[in-house]
């Protein structure tokens, strides 16, 4: 056995412990075997393949083969992965979906805040009845026949309102009486700009505390403040109105909105704390004033809101803070009156 010049560790790694009794320590001298020195072969064996008993060699070989196979399979899987296909197709959300999500947001953030939808077509009622708390019909110009259609929709559970745009000669008393017989809350206006506050008392004057829609006998919509020089003058005029519910445009002018103290001031008829009423925010789903703090070019096109976009949804209610719905709730409005929803 040729082990000239080996150390004990080198001998053990090359020949195994079975031959260890034959090891004799001798001085190193160059001995050539197969054109190379034994010492060089020992050094190569020491750095490349350490000795293992025969019973462990098969297990090590199988483990190394398994690792190699796994690496190959992993490489093949990665090679077969395909890049995701990005398309520009987008299915716009319907107005019904948007209103349903708005209602859910409101109910999750307030127990008293409610939603009224304004419709111009009586036939569309069934489409919207499940995404709101009450429905208002704006009738113009056929009033009496349209009121008959609304009567057919009235049940004990639902809340219906009628906003009739009439002429100066129209018999508003007879119209309101017909609505009252069927428990429909009515309002008659002669100005489509909604910028005139009436001086006369409303029909079915109510002196009780109004804290729900069920108790409302009459209402008034105010969307334009051009007839008022200052916000303070409007607030004083609105406070003296005897209507059970005021529906107001939250945006006043020059980027200013009504504050929480303004809303609280208008909630009491003539300042009487025992004579409370409801104050609702008017929301035009398709138009937004350019000076509004919520205005964004990303959801506007030809001065019309693209209500199906994610940008408008975020502005309306979806973003964590700074949305329109959050402003309504934090400012103390009792609800929102949503207009321009029919596609």
């Amino acid at each position: 056995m040729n082990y000239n010049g080996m150390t004990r560790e080198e001998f053990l790694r090359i020949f195994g412990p079975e031959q260890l009794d034959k090891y004799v320590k001798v001085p190193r001298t160059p001995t050539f075997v197969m054109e190379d020195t034994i010492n060089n072969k020992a050094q190569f064996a020491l750095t490349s393949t350490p000795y293992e008993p025969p019973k462990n060699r098969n297990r090590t070989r199988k483990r190394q083969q398994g690792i190699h196979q796994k690496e190959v399979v992993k490489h093949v899987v990665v090679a077969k992965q395909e890049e995701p296909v990005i398309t520009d197709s987008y299915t716009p959300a319907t107005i019904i979906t948007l209103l349903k999500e708005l209602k859910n947001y409101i109910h999750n953030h307030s127990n008293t805040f409610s939603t009224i939808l304004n419709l111009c077509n009586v036939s569309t009622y069934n489409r919207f009845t499940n995404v709101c708390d009450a429905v208002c019909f704006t009738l113009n110009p056929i009033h009496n026949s349209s009121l008959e259609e609304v009567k057919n929709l009235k049940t004990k559970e639902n809340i219906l309102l009628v906003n009739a745009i009439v002429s100066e000669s129209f018999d508003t008393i007879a119209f309101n009486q017909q609505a009252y017989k069927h428990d429909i809350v009515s309002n008659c206006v002669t100005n489509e700009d909604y910028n005139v506050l009436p001086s006369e008392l409303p029909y079915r004057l109510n002196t009780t505390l109004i804290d729900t829609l069920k108790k409302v006998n009459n209402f008034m919509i105010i969307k334009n403040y051009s007839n008022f020089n200052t916000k303070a003058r409007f607030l004083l005029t609105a406070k003296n109105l005897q209507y059970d519910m005021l529906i107001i445009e939250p945006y006043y002018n020059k980027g200013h909105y009504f504050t929480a103290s303004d809303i609280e001031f208008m909630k009491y008829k003539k300042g009487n704390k025992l004579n409370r009423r409801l104050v609702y925010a008017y929301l035009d789903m398709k138009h937004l004033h350019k000076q509004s703090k919520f205005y964004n070019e990303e959801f506007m096109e030809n001065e019309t809101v693209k209500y199906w976009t994610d940008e408008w949804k975020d502005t309306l209610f979806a973003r964590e803070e700074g949305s329109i719905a959050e402003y309504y709730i934090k400012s103390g409005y009792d609800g929102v009156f949503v207009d321009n929803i029919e596609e």
Side-chain angles (χ1 to χ4, degrees), residues 164-183:
I165 304 173
V166 300
S167 62
E168 295 284 351
S169 59
F170 185 78
D171 189 351
T172 58
I173 295 178
F175 182 85
N176 289 329
Q177 287 176 343
Q178 287 297 317
Y180 172 67
K181 287 180 181 179
H182 293 82
D183 198 23

Side-chain angles (χ1 to χ4, degrees), residues 194-220:
Y194 297 95
N195 61 350
V196 177
L197 301 186
S199 56
E200 66 273 9
L201 293 175
Y203 181 74
R204 294 173 63 200
L205 183 64
N206 201 340
T207 57
T208 61
L209 184 145
I210 309 298
D211 54 1
T212 65
L213 283 172
K214 290 282 188 181
K215 298 180 181 180
V216 171
N217 285 350
N218 44 69
F219 67 97
M220 169 61 61

Side-chain angles (χ1 to χ4, degrees), residues 12-18 49-65:
L12 183 65
R13 290 180 179 277
I14 295 175
F15 299 106
E18 299 91 339
T49 55
Y51 171 80
E52 272 191 322
K55 63 180 180 180
N56 294 340
R57 293 174 186 172
N58 289 335
R59 184 176 61 187
T60 302
R61 189 184 306 110
K62 290 179 181 180
R63 184 173 66 248
Q64 291 176 344
Q65 289 177 351

Side-chain angles (χ1 to χ4, degrees), residues 223-274:
K223 297 193 299 183
N224 190 319
Y225 308 105
S226 58
N227 290 337
F228 301 92
N229 295 329
T230 62
K231 185 172 73 170
R233 183 178 293 275
F234 166 76
L235 291 174
L236 289 171
T237 307
K239 182 191 71 171
N240 292 324
L241 292 174
Q242 296 292 303
Y243 286 85
D244 293 347
M245 179 170 61
L246 297 182
I247 301 170
I248 65 171
E249 164 61 56
Y251 174 81
Y252 185 73
N253 66 2
K254 297 180 181 179
H256 298 293
Y257 279 72
F258 288 112
T259 64
S261 59
D262 296 334
I263 304 305
E264 184 70 13
F265 183 79
M266 287 186 283
K267 282 187 177 181
Y268 302 98
K269 301 175 184 178
K270 293 185 177 295
N272 185 353
K273 293 292 183 178
L274 299 177

Side-chain angles (χ1 to χ4, degrees), residues 94-96 98-99 102 116-121 124 127-128 136-138 163 192 194 221 223 249 281-288 303-308 312 316 336-343:
T94 64
I95 195 72
I96 300 293
L98 185 65
L99 292 171
L102 174 62
I116 303 174
L117 301 185
N118 185 46
L119 304 177
C120 296
N121 191 344
T124 61
R127 291 183 58 203
F128 295 96
C136 177
F137 295 98
T138 295
N163 179 50
E192 291 189 59
Y194 297 95
I221 300 175
K223 297 193 299 183
E249 164 61 56
Y282 175 87
L283 172 64
D284 191 331
M285 190 61 79
K286 295 181 182 178
H287 298 93
L288 190 66
E303 300 183 357
T304 302
V305 174
K306 296 185 288 186
Y307 64 85
W308 59 87
W312 172 245
L316 186 58
V336 59
F337 182 91
V338 187
D339 197 7
N340 250 329
I341 59 174
E342 290 165 296
E343 300 173 284

Side-chain angles (χ1 to χ4, degrees), residues 47-80:
T47 58
S48 59
T49 55
Y51 171 80
E52 272 191 322
K55 63 180 180 180
N56 294 340
R57 293 174 186 172
N58 289 335
R59 184 176 61 187
T60 302
R61 189 184 306 110
K62 290 179 181 180
R63 184 173 66 248
Q64 291 176 344
Q65 289 177 351
I67 294 173
H68 179 70
Q69 289 175 354
K70 288 181 180 179
E71 291 177 350
V72 172
V73 172
K74 183 177 179 181
H75 176 72
V76 172
V77 171
V78 172
K80 290 184 179 180

